[in-house]
Amino acid sequence: MKNIKFITISLFFMFSCRNGEISEVNKKKATELNNQAVELRMNGELDKAINLYKKAYEIDESNLNVHFSILGIYIQKKEIKKAFDFLDKLSKEQKKTVYYYQTKGNLFEYDGKIDEAKENYKKAYELNEMVEIKNESDLNTLINYTMLETFAGHKEKAVNRINETLKLEWLTEANKDYLETFRNEFEFYQGDGALEFQNEKEFRICTKNIDSLKQILKENHINISGSSSPIGISEFGEIRVNEKFRSKIEKLELKECE
């Protein structure tokens, strides 16, 4: 799926940093603290990282990327209550935003409460606005919007919206591949929220012609998780697909590896 799990998480919490109201000195200090926290987090030093993130956030409380980094560590540590408590500290104005409801929905998912998650996704979707797609930078906005649209129960609208965008003449092949990957995910969405994209349950299809099979899957909007060529004396290579695409695979009468 071309690392869709990572892309999805990055998109799902892609929010702007509105730090123009703080001084250049404080802006620089917050950036330094954030960069140090990122490195500590990558090294697994979560407690030290969250302390630095919090210091950066104290300097600039409008920086929602830093805010979610703090929530992300609570999630990593499975401290969901602390994440909810921290989210609840946002100002009254911030609690009226897409970020608040979208993030709250994700926390409910991690807490195993999918119905509550969906209600918050619906609220986020109702607050969100779709921009006109004019250039490549707008494609991320489109995907984040259609992701919320899907989670809010309107996956057909999301799929149609992406299909219409795919008609734009200026799109590169990379742009089309990016859009089609998400279009396929939304088309086969099974109602499990953002965590559905982290489901790594797969099955294998064996074939003597990997390129031909890849083309068939692409034409039928089925994302490929991975593939391998024949090894040793085996005649067959294999292609791996996520379990969510099984029903379509069966309709195509493609056989799972024995």
Side-chain angles (χ1 to χ4, degrees):
M1 277 190 297
K2 303 177 179 63
N3 204 18
I4 193 169
K5 175 179 174 181
F6 173 77
I7 295 172
T8 304
I9 294 170
S10 300
L11 279 169
F12 202 69
F13 299 105
M14 181 183 63
F15 299 96
S16 61
C17 301
R18 302 180 301 277
N19 53 10
E21 296 180 3
I22 66 173
S23 70
E24 288 300 318
V25 172
N26 282 342
K27 186 188 298 184
K28 182 178 179 181
K29 181 61 177 176
T31 299
E32 290 174 352
L33 288 168
N34 178 74
N35 292 342
Q36 292 170 26
V38 169
E39 187 171 345
L40 287 168
R41 187 177 182 182
M42 290 177 64
N43 292 331
E45 299 182 70
L46 300 184
D47 290 333
K48 291 182 180 179
I50 200 169
N51 287 336
L52 291 185
Y53 277 131
K54 286 182 176 180
K55 289 180 180 179
Y57 186 65
E58 286 174 4
I59 295 172
D60 181 13
E61 292 189 354
S62 70
N63 192 321
L64 297 180
N65 289 318
V66 173
H67 185 273
F68 188 73
S69 292
I70 295 169
L71 293 176
I73 290 181
Y74 283 135
I75 291 170
Q76 272 185 271
K77 297 176 70 177
K78 302 187 185 304
E79 296 177 340
I80 302 301
K81 184 180 184 305
K82 288 185 178 181
F84 273 113
D85 290 344
F86 187 70
L87 181 65
D88 197 50
K89 291 179 181 178
L90 287 175
S91 68
K92 288 183 179 180
E93 287 304 309
Q94 287 173 316
K95 287 181 180 179
K96 299 175 184 178
T97 63
V98 173
Y99 171 79
Y100 174 74
Y101 288 110
Q102 192 168 350
T103 305
K104 192 172 183 179
N106 192 246
L107 291 182
F108 272 123
E109 278 199 62
Y110 277 104
D111 203 28
K113 299 175 180 177
I114 188 63
D115 289 338
E116 289 89 338
K118 289 179 180 178
E119 286 303 310
N120 280 275
Y121 291 146
K122 288 177 183 177
K123 291 176 182 177
Y125 174 62
E126 290 166 1
L127 289 171
N128 208 359
E129 295 182 2
M130 185 60 229
V131 301
E132 182 181 354
I133 306 301
K134 297 180 179 180
N135 52 53
E136 189 174 60
S137 64
D138 293 329
L139 298 180
N140 283 344
T141 303
L142 168 70
I143 293 302
N144 194 56
Y145 184 89
T146 51
M147 192 177 296
L148 265 182
E149 196 162 41
T150 298
F151 297 162
H154 308 292
K155 74 174 186 178
E156 291 82 7
K157 286 185 179 180
V159 170
N160 289 337
R161 196 181 302 278
I162 295 177
N163 282 334
E164 286 301 308
T165 304
L166 281 164
K167 297 176 183 178
L168 295 175
E169 294 182 357
W170 55 262
L171 293 175
T172 66
E173 288 305 312
N175 293 155
K176 292 177 182 177
D177 188 52
Y178 174 70
L179 292 174
E180 286 172 355
T181 296
F182 280 96
R183 187 271 313 279
N184 299 351
E185 290 296 314
F186 300 153
E187 184 174 332
F188 288 89
Y189 176 68
Q190 298 180 337
D192 295 327
L195 296 185
E196 180 174 309
F197 293 88
Q198 299 183 47
N199 179 10
E200 297 178 352
K201 190 175 181 181
E202 301 171 343
F203 64 99
R204 300 172 300 134
I205 308 169
C206 288
T207 178
K208 291 183 179 181
N209 192 329
I210 286 183
D211 290 338
S212 176
L213 180 55
K214 283 183 177 179
Q215 186 59 36
I216 290 171
L217 297 180
K218 180 179 176 63
E219 291 171 357
N220 284 276
H221 300 179
I222 298 171
N223 288 333
I224 297 170
S225 303
S227 64
S228 58
S229 301
I231 299 175
I233 62 172
S234 174
E235 297 181 71
F236 295 94
E238 65 177 44
I239 288 179
R240 299 185 300 279
V241 298
N242 191 276
E243 186 67 29
K244 71 191 294 181
F245 297 105
R246 181 181 286 276
S247 61
K248 184 66 173 181
I249 292 292
E250 291 175 349
K251 287 182 180 179
L252 293 172
E253 298 185 348
L254 298 172
K255 301 297 183 182
E256 187 174 357
C257 295
E258 296 179 357

